[in-house]
Amino acid sequence: MRGEPRTFDPNFKGPVVNRSCTDVLCFIIFILFIIGYIILGLIAWVNGDPRRVAYPTDSQGHFCGQKGTPNENKSILFYFNLFSCTSPSVMVNLQCPTTQICVSKCPEKFLTYLETQLLYKKDKNSWTYYSQFCKTPIPKSDRTLSQILMDDNCPAAIFPSKPFLQRCFPDFSTKNGTLTVGNKTMFEDGKGKTRNAGELRAAANHINKILDAKSLGMKLFEDYATTWYWILMGLIIAMLLSWIFLILLRFTAGFLFWVFMSGVIGVIGYGIWHCYKEYNNLRGQENSHLTIYDIGIQTDISMYLQLRQTWLAFMIILCILEALVILMLIFLRNRIRISIALLKEGSKAIRYVPTTLIYPVLTFIFLSICICYWAVIAVYLATSGVPIYKIIAPAGQCEHENKTCDPEIFNTTEISKACPGAQCIFAFYGGKSVYHQNIPTLQTFNLFVFLWLINFVFALGQCTLAGAFASYYWALEKPEDIPPYPLFTAFGRAIRYHTGSLAFGSLILALIQMFRIVLEYLDKRLKESQNNISKFLQCCLKCCFWCLEKAVKFLNRNAYVMIAIYGKNFCRSAKDAFNLLIRNVLKVAVMDKVTDFVLILGKILVTGCIGVLAFLLFTERLPILIEGPSLNYYWVPLLTVVIGSYLIAHGFFSVYAMCIDTLFICF
């Protein structure tokens, strides 16, 4: 199982130069998938229309505000009967079961259809104003209310509204602590009922749950526009701190590790002392002699803290933990020294091959291209086809609900009589062609190739960095014997000879990740219909595939190092890496944990320093040194700086971690 160790070759000078292409079959499959992905993008681009996402769509499937259409000057969506939006079908179908039309402006006053009829002879302007909110122009208000509602041509009433996310929403305000609409708390709905502002607010809230981000988004944009240069400056400082930390590791790696371990021992020791102190203080107090078994299961955790037995158990656990840590440091001290030596050597390697610190930028560019291409294809696929209309009933109990319909003849069909109040409303874009019927399949293909490409980008980065650091390790005289441009040479070797092997390893990861996504999807769709056994089995599957993904990532990482050094195919390299790790499993575990300790400290140091400075600046607590910007939400740029600093530190330290792994395998 452990395999035979590689025999010592005194003539080995580093990464093999004379190598051949590996895993050619997987390379061909990978190229075919990429070609198919490009073709999919072209087909989606021809059939899709992202304007369908940018513009609101009326009940007929027409865009509001689109240039070159009759609705060019009507950029706002108006709902005929907002009260119907309280229907449960709103959240199920993501549509309000009422007629929606495009208008140039929102209503500014209360007016019902019956009122316009009464005022028509005296004031025709009221009808002119009202009719602009009808589907088609009506010269005069000579129809009855029942005819208007049956034809669904005009709303029964209009209310003072304001545009929000290009949609007309009631103009709510508060007067003396009471919610009002246009300074009224009660008003007629045009159908003989008196309504209050609270009912209208409840109806509007159902739509707001889908469209609630506009004002927040504007404020966030303002904050970013005000602080972008501060954010950029913070990220540059984070980059410099990360670089300085890596260079100084050559001198401070051992010190940082032993300081960290001393802190761990000290914290556990303090915990033991505190447990003993609490245990001793409870001596003689009432009921403190009871056991956990005596009081049973309690929701109030503080009851357990009043028992001496609880603190005794804590003290014993901490003593065992303290003993294990000390024994581990004593018996593994030699391996810890080797790990610290590797950390110091890794710092020297980065100093001699500084271009490796630039590679995370290249990885970021590749990832950005993949993510943007995937997102664009997903949008174009989602907006492909012709408008599809479906029946939506206010009560959500129509037997014909969610069936397709034709809005031009819907009111003359038997369905409108069988389901009073039902609407034939635009639902989505689709069609009956083979392309349109297979859009879900194409979206799945889009996601799978995206995962494959993302994993390939990471694999390419790991193999490239491994090749560069292996060149450093095998150079006898440093830096004289280090090949010129080791990073670019390693990148060229990986692309020219090992694209198939990298695609093979990333394909395995993509399949596992795709299966995990399918499990999550099934869990969301079948959540309410699952029994306890199926939930348990699904939870076990999720856990198993999560562990499998982590294990495959670890094995792939080391396999790419072997590929970079010896130029073998993926399976042979993975086998050699696995055997090497098994033969040195204890060294691997110690080195991995020591590296984790040091890199976690580095990430905390970089992110913490930048985060504290950003907090003081954005909360205007440095008026003496510098005046901070005035913001709507100071946490927006603060979180951006903190997350960005962490990602930058992670990018730098991932290069360092790859360096350590490569040096260990070479060692």
Side-chain angles (χ1 to χ4, degrees), residues 226 230 616-623 626-631:
T226 306
W230 292 111
L616 295 175
L617 175 66
F618 295 136
T619 55
E620 301 182 81
R621 300 189 183 188
L622 291 174
I626 189 169
E627 185 178 353
S630 179
L631 302 171

Side-chain angles (χ1 to χ4, degrees), residues 20 112 126 171 249-250 367 382 411 420 426 472 536:
S20 58
T112 66
S126 62
D171 184 13
L249 273 181
R250 178 183 176 185
L367 291 178
N411 288 334
F426 165 76
Y472 160 82
F536 173 75

Side-chain angles (χ1 to χ4, degrees), residues 537-552:
L537 292 175
Q538 197 166 43
C539 187
C540 290
L541 279 174
K542 286 182 182 179
C543 181
C544 290
F545 274 88
W546 180 84
C547 294
L548 179 61
E549 182 181 351
K550 295 297 181 184
V552 170

Side-chain angles (χ1 to χ4, degrees), residues 156-204:
I158 58 176
F159 315 106
S161 307
K162 285 186 177 181
F164 175 73
L165 273 179
Q166 293 183 274
R167 289 158 175 83
C168 289
F169 282 94
D171 184 13
F172 293 109
S173 60
T174 304
K175 188 176 182 180
N176 297 326
T178 304
L179 185 68
T180 64
V181 178
N183 294 323
K184 286 187 178 182
T185 56
M186 308 293 292
F187 45 85
E188 298 292 328
D189 67 352
K191 297 181 180 180
K193 291 183 179 180
T194 302
R195 303 277 192 164
N196 60 53
E199 292 179 81
L200 195 57
R201 181 59 181 263

Side-chain angles (χ1 to χ4, degrees), residues 489-562:
T489 303
F491 181 81
R493 276 200 305 263
I495 289 291
R496 181 179 178 183
Y497 297 109
H498 306 301
T499 298
S501 297
L502 301 179
F504 192 3
S506 53
L507 173 63
I508 296 171
L509 263 180
L511 289 171
I512 296 171
Q513 291 166 348
M514 195 70 190
F515 192 82
R516 289 188 65 198
I517 291 172
V518 171
L519 283 178
E520 290 291 341
Y521 175 76
L522 292 176
D523 185 37
K524 298 294 182 185
R525 293 296 300 268
L526 306 175
K527 204 162 193 175
E528 295 182 357
S529 60
Q530 288 178 337
N531 55 38
N532 292 333
I533 296 177
S534 63
K535 287 181 180 178
F536 173 75
L537 292 175
Q538 197 166 43
C539 187
C540 290
L541 279 174
K542 286 182 182 179
C543 181
C544 290
F545 274 88
W546 180 84
C547 294
L548 179 61
E549 182 181 351
K550 295 297 181 184
V552 170
K553 278 185 177 180
F554 180 75
L555 185 59
N556 279 8
R557 182 185 180 91
N558 290 280
Y560 299 145
V561 177
M562 301 297 282

